[in-house]
Amino acid sequence: ETSPFVLMVHHRHAFMNWDPIRYIQQTFFPEGFPAHPHRGFITVTYCLKGGMIHRDSLGIKQIYGAEERHGGRHVQWLTAGAGIQHEEMWDVREPDAKDKGSFLWTSSQELYQIWLNLPAAYKMSAPGADMLEAYAVKENSSAIPTGSTPIITSMDESTITTIVCGEYNGVKASVECPTDASIIRVQLKKKERNSPTVWTHNLPPSHKTAILYIRKGSIDVDGEHIGPHHTVYLTASGAQLTITKPHDDDNDEADVLLLSGAPLNEPIASQGSMVMNTDNEIREAYMDFQNGFMGVPWSEKLTDEEWRKHVARFPSRY
């Protein structure tokens, strides 16, 4: 059982300016995800390296990512609601920092995409796309700014906790989510002294679903040692989660994603890019898409001016 989460994908790509096959591929395999529709859920795109360029059927363009040029805007919170079409193309405009100034360079890209289900009462809500910006929480911080992901660094700087949604240690993310869920990234640094790094979190009693994904490094949870690129499904018993990075782990850092939430306890029907409650609602979603109610798909090759004209000519009904 993974409700309220529908999907989590860890993407990792690299684009080289010296790769001849890349330029052949571009003629039939776009570098990203051309215009496509969604209905009935939220997509959360969390950039870890590189970035994305977003355009949608509402006429919104956003550029976000993990690099300095993105200004801290590292997460996109896209509510599909009643229906939206969007394209997400890799932001390969600049090379990796280590390759700047080089004739031959690589643009590395890495992200999480998470599909978070919406309760039936919110599935036909208004669509929208919001940017979330990294915000370092200070000891004297008061309110968390709107449109931010609070980042909490422990006193000894051994753990860094980024709250995309939900709450940790009394700090609540700014994003308003109709689904009772938390998305939290935990980075555990290796301590200089001979001791493990420990991170604890009290899960809300309603969060019967809890999933860990280990991006890099290794951790111990309840006596189990878990290596990188593994997914852990936690039981609903107990209230406190303890993650330990062993001192004898060769990696300098363990990087973990925690997804937790209250199961929706509703029927679910999904097909392709739509997530609804019944098969009939799925059929209606695709009929609405085919009838142009979510706008009409466009080519990723359109200039911004051409895309805006297209969206104005074929507006979304939602």
Side-chain angles (χ1 to χ4, degrees):
E1 177 64 67
T2 64
S3 179
F5 301 97
V6 179
L7 173 147
M8 194 287 283
V9 178
H10 180 196
H11 285 278
R12 180 73 174 89
H13 305 274
F15 300 94
M16 298 84 164
N17 73 331
W18 46 265
D19 181 1
I21 297 176
R22 175 188 170 198
Y23 297 100
I24 297 171
Q25 263 190 329
Q26 284 179 336
T27 61
F28 59 89
F29 193 75
E31 291 182 346
F33 308 90
H36 58 282
H38 290 302
R39 173 179 281 180
F41 63 103
I42 294 165
T43 71
V44 182
T45 306
Y46 186 153
C47 292
L48 303 164
K49 292 181 182 178
M52 303 298 290
I53 301 174
H54 162 98
R55 300 190 299 190
D56 65 37
S57 53
L58 303 178
I60 298 170
K61 179 179 180 179
Q62 297 168 333
I63 301 175
Y64 60 102
E67 307 305 322
E68 186 177 345
R69 66 182 180 271
H70 299 116
R73 296 178 297 277
H74 63 148
V75 176
Q76 183 197 63
W77 185 276
L78 186 147
T79 301
I84 192 171
Q85 292 203 55
H86 71 128
E87 68 173 23
E88 306 290 333
M89 309 305 291
W90 299 110
D91 182 9
V92 294
R93 297 171 299 162
E94 293 186 17
D96 296 345
K98 64 179 178 60
D99 291 342
K100 284 189 176 179
S102 299
F103 178 69
L104 302 178
W105 53 261
T106 299
S107 177
S108 298
Q109 307 289 328
E110 185 178 7
L111 60 78
Y112 293 129
Q113 184 163 95
I114 299 154
W115 289 12
L116 177 60
N117 205 359
L118 282 168
Y122 292 88
K123 284 191 174 293
M124 295 300 287
S125 58
D130 297 305
M131 289 281 91
L132 301 181
E133 184 174 336
Y135 173 75
V137 176
K138 309 295 183 185
E139 282 189 50
N140 57 356
S141 294
S142 52
I144 301 301
T146 300
S148 67
T149 57
I151 300 177
I152 304 167
T153 302
S154 61
M155 292 290 290
D156 63 359
E157 299 185 347
S158 64
T159 66
I160 301 172
T161 306
T162 302
I163 313 168
V164 177
C165 75
E167 184 175 347
Y168 169 73
N169 203 23
V171 178
K172 192 175 186 301
S174 67
V175 71
E176 293 294 331
C177 181
T179 302
D180 180 6
S182 292
I183 300 173
I184 298 174
R185 179 188 181 189
V186 185
Q187 296 164 269
L188 300 95
K189 310 288 185 177
K190 189 171 186 175
K191 293 184 177 180
E192 292 183 3
R193 60 185 184 275
N194 189 24
S195 61
T197 303
V198 180
W199 181 86
T200 59
H201 176 49
N202 293 317
L203 293 166
S206 60
H207 286 202
K208 304 303 181 185
T209 295
I211 303 166
L212 295 174
Y213 174 76
I214 296 84
R215 177 191 173 211
K216 63 181 179 180
S218 63
I219 60 171
D220 292 339
V221 177
D222 197 24
E224 295 281 344
H225 187 71
I226 306 142
H229 303 155
H230 281 73
T231 303
V232 179
Y233 298 90
L234 304 176
T235 64
S237 60
Q240 188 179 78
L241 169 64
T242 300
I243 299 175
T244 303
K245 181 192 182 306
H247 182 267
D248 57 4
D249 179 19
D250 292 336
N251 295 283
D252 291 334
E253 177 184 88
D255 195 335
V256 181
L257 181 69
L258 168 64
L259 308 177
S260 69
L264 292 181
N265 296 320
E266 296 176 349
I268 183 170
S270 63
Q271 182 179 325
S273 58
M274 313 291 190
V275 181
M276 300 299 289
N277 295 105
T278 67
D279 290 339
N280 188 54
E281 288 173 339
I282 291 290
R283 286 190 289 270
E284 288 177 0
Y286 277 104
M287 285 183 64
D288 289 348
F289 162 62
Q290 290 166 1
N291 288 329
F293 296 167
M294 302 176 192
V296 173
W298 58 90
S299 168
E300 74 283 355
K301 296 177 182 178
L302 293 186
T303 65
D304 285 350
E305 183 180 357
E306 291 169 335
W307 157 71
R308 288 191 177 94
K309 288 180 179 178
H310 175 93
V311 171
R313 183 182 177 190
F314 303 104
S316 169
R317 143 177 316 200
Y318 308 112

